[in-house]
Amino acid sequence: MARLMILVVFLLGPALAQSLLALAPQGAVAGFYMNDLRGSRYLSGLATDWKQSGMEAFLGRELRKQAGNDADLLGIAAGGVAVALYSDGFFVVTRPSATAMRALRRDTRGLRPQGGWLVGSDQETMTGFSRELAFIATPKYARLFLQNRRGLQAPVRGDIVLWGTPPQDLLQSLNLPARASGAVRTLRRFSYAIQLTAGGYTEEARLDVNPAPDPALASLLLPKERPYNAADLPQGLAVSVGVLDLGRVGAYLPGLLREFDLQLNLDLRAFGSRFAAVTVKGPPPAPDGRSEAILGHSLFYWEVRDPATAEANLLALLQSLAAFATPDGQGGFRVLGNEGGFKAVEVGLAGTLFYKLEPTRLVLATSRTALEALNNPPWGQDRNFQRFRVRVPAHAVGYTFSNQGSALQEQLRQIGTTLPQTIGSDLDQQTSRELARALSDFTDRLARRFGSGLSYAVVEGNSLISRGFYEVRW
């Protein structure tokens, strides 16, 4: 739900352009761009939904009310923006709306011609304007730009791209302990890209690893084991399977933290490396907005090597969680008995959890609804799952399948009751009800556009790569 809403806000909001990124000086350690999508045929339906739901009018009015004339600056990236971050500065170039351009020029003092731009500056930044573009940057990178020393390129391509690399000179200046320095230097680069397609969108996240500084961390990030078969798990709104060796994580972290004089007594040797999670549909919230389960409605599976020790570790963890989930912090943990082969425990305000130790795995249900979902037919019988599952390579170390439209509808049921209570102290009742109605209307329209989606993770060389495919009825 959160990822979908973030994607929609990006797509309906400011448009960034790869061509603008090329105006930035080279040498950036991180960057972000989104192609100019204002005329995209894929987004016209979403834009119509946004307008017809009332969200466009509501936000425009409220932002104008709160921000006054400064609301003009909301169009600062109306026609595109590219952002480049350096270890010692930044560079941002945008194509503002006409009103935003006027506001920017009005607030910039001492403009003078330089390199074909009108440039103003203060002690920390320089701002420049052409007929359609504006930039703001720290002085070093503004001067490089004005000297035509440009040409930054992103390491990946897409309609939306984000990437970053650890700045080595900054890391060296921190004088980190040996193991911590090795751990940080193991992470070479992260990148994320979204590409719109006729049937929806694809995404790719990539983590590039350098095993030499910290082979133990690299082996955790680049697993070789195969995950559980999701086809055997009960159906719900979504299912995820993956690999993370908890036993090795428990052995790795204490040594790393000791360099910072931190003690962590974490014995996870009883747990294996394979895990799975199934999110299921829950009952509607009560009239006061309270849900049956604060932790949601999910089933968790984790491989175990020693069931008895794993149970002892689980109970210790739940007792600690109960203390945090109780107002006075003094406990709130109770063993309630057995239900259908599962042991029920009360964990403070987090509610009742149900768990069972099998010979090779732990099964945990976060609510009674989740526990009942164990009787659902397996994912292998779901036609959409079958259709998407064939895309997962045999060497995948994890994958997630979800019915995104149903997930959005599940969230939609809670908006009308919980949102007014959440924001009631900041907005009057009429305004909060209007916002709840408009947001519910938009989310309902959005849910009808989204279909099924799949993402999977593979290890290729020294890179962990996640690729996803998601249906959208544009």
Side-chain angles (χ1 to χ4, degrees):
M1 170 64 176
R3 184 185 65 206
L4 293 178
M5 293 303 296
I6 291 172
L7 170 66
V8 170
V9 170
F10 271 136
L11 295 182
L12 296 180
L16 310 149
Q18 168 68 11
S19 59
L20 292 180
L21 186 69
L23 296 177
Q26 299 182 36
V29 297
F32 175 62
Y33 78 82
M34 183 163 57
N35 285 330
D36 188 345
L37 301 172
R38 289 171 299 172
S40 173
R41 59 189 176 92
Y42 301 139
L43 302 181
S44 59
L46 292 179
T48 299
D49 291 346
W50 183 255
K51 184 175 184 178
Q52 292 183 348
S53 68
M55 283 297 296
E56 181 177 83
F58 176 86
L59 289 180
R61 184 186 73 241
E62 290 301 316
L63 288 171
R64 180 70 60 182
K65 185 188 302 182
Q66 297 295 326
N69 291 333
D70 289 340
D72 292 338
L73 294 175
L74 294 174
I76 194 171
V81 57
V83 180
L85 301 178
Y86 307 84
S87 58
D88 57 351
F90 68 90
F91 181 88
V92 180
V93 59
T94 78
R95 185 177 286 109
S97 66
T99 54
M101 179 70 87
R102 287 194 293 268
L104 285 170
R105 289 197 176 209
R106 182 179 63 243
D107 294 339
T108 304
R109 300 287 183 261
L111 291 173
R112 63 188 186 282
Q114 186 175 348
W117 291 68
L118 285 176
V119 180
S121 64
D122 55 31
Q123 293 182 347
E124 298 180 351
T125 61
M126 295 178 65
T127 304
F129 303 95
S130 68
R131 182 176 179 179
E132 295 184 345
L133 303 179
F135 76 80
I136 180 170
T138 47
K140 174 182 176 179
Y141 294 99
R143 287 192 291 267
L144 290 175
F145 166 77
L146 294 170
Q147 295 167 7
N148 290 321
R149 296 169 65 179
R150 308 168 183 174
L152 180 63
Q153 296 293 321
V156 291
R157 297 284 178 172
D159 286 313
I160 304 171
V161 166
L162 168 70
W163 85 94
T165 59
Q168 297 302 315
D169 51 349
L170 177 60
L171 294 177
Q172 292 177 2
S173 69
L174 296 177
N175 295 318
L176 295 173
R179 291 195 64 178
S181 176
V184 174
R185 288 185 290 113
T186 299
L187 309 177
R188 291 182 54 208
R189 182 171 62 201
F190 171 79
S191 61
Y192 177 75
I194 288 178
Q195 182 71 53
L196 303 184
T197 68
Y201 67 96
T202 64
E203 66 179 10
E204 178 176 304
R206 184 184 189 103
L207 177 64
D208 298 322
V209 174
N210 177 14
D214 192 337
L217 176 59
S219 66
L220 288 172
L221 298 174
L222 305 173
K224 297 181 174 62
E225 299 89 347
R226 297 296 170 259
Y228 286 125
N229 184 2
D232 300 331
L233 301 175
Q235 291 181 27
L237 297 174
V239 60
S240 297
V241 294
V243 176
L244 177 63
D245 196 324
L246 280 187
R248 291 167 55 205
V249 170
Y252 175 83
L253 285 179
L256 181 66
L257 294 177
R258 277 196 297 269
E259 292 192 328
F260 298 94
D261 294 325
L262 298 174
Q263 297 296 321
L264 180 63
N265 297 320
L266 194 64
D267 185 359
L268 300 177
R269 290 173 294 178
F271 292 91
S273 58
R274 295 189 295 173
F275 66 88
V278 177
T279 302
V280 302
K281 184 177 181 179
D288 60 1
R290 295 181 180 178
S291 174
E292 171 200 339
I294 293 178
L295 299 180
H297 307 280
S298 297
L299 290 166
F300 294 99
Y301 303 79
W302 209 293
E303 185 178 26
V304 296
R305 300 186 177 106
D306 181 347
T309 304
E311 181 175 20
N313 289 337
L314 173 66
L315 292 175
L317 175 63
L318 293 180
Q319 288 178 354
S320 299
L321 176 62
F324 286 104
T326 306
D328 57 11
Q330 299 300 314
F333 178 83
R334 288 195 304 158
V335 177
L336 302 179
N338 296 339
E339 291 198 28
F342 280 71
K343 297 180 180 179
V345 291
E346 184 181 284
V347 187
L349 295 181
T352 302
L353 306 183
F354 306 85
Y355 75 91
K356 179 173 68 172
L357 267 299
E358 299 177 347
T360 61
R361 68 182 184 180
L362 162 71
V363 184
L364 176 70
T366 61
S367 70
R368 191 174 300 278
T369 297
L371 182 65
E372 294 170 352
L374 287 167
N375 297 319
N376 291 352
W379 279 104
Q381 297 180 15
D382 183 283
R383 292 184 178 181
N384 283 329
F385 176 83
Q386 296 170 1
R387 180 166 55 92
F388 275 75
R389 177 65 178 83
V390 297
R391 300 193 184 198
V392 179
H395 65 292
V397 297
Y399 56 92
T400 296
F401 172 81
S402 63
N403 187 329
Q404 298 189 107
S406 295
L408 279 171
Q409 290 175 345
E410 179 75 2
Q411 296 293 327
L412 169 65
R413 294 189 305 167
Q414 302 184 28
I415 290 177
T417 55
T418 59
L419 187 60
Q421 297 176 46
T422 302
I423 64 177
S425 59
D426 298 321
L427 299 175
D428 61 73
Q429 290 187 357
Q430 180 179 350
T431 303
S432 63
R433 283 196 299 267
E434 182 183 354
L435 173 57
R437 183 207 58 76
L439 185 57
S440 295
D441 190 324
F442 174 67
T443 310
D444 183 41
R445 295 169 184 268
L446 190 66
R448 293 197 293 267
R449 292 186 178 276
F450 280 86
S452 300
L454 172 83
S455 64
Y456 66 81
V458 294
V459 175
E460 296 180 1
N462 290 324
S463 298
L464 178 65
I465 304 172
S466 175
R467 298 185 175 99
F469 313 87
Y470 305 92
E471 292 178 325
V472 183
R473 289 175 286 276
W474 298 113

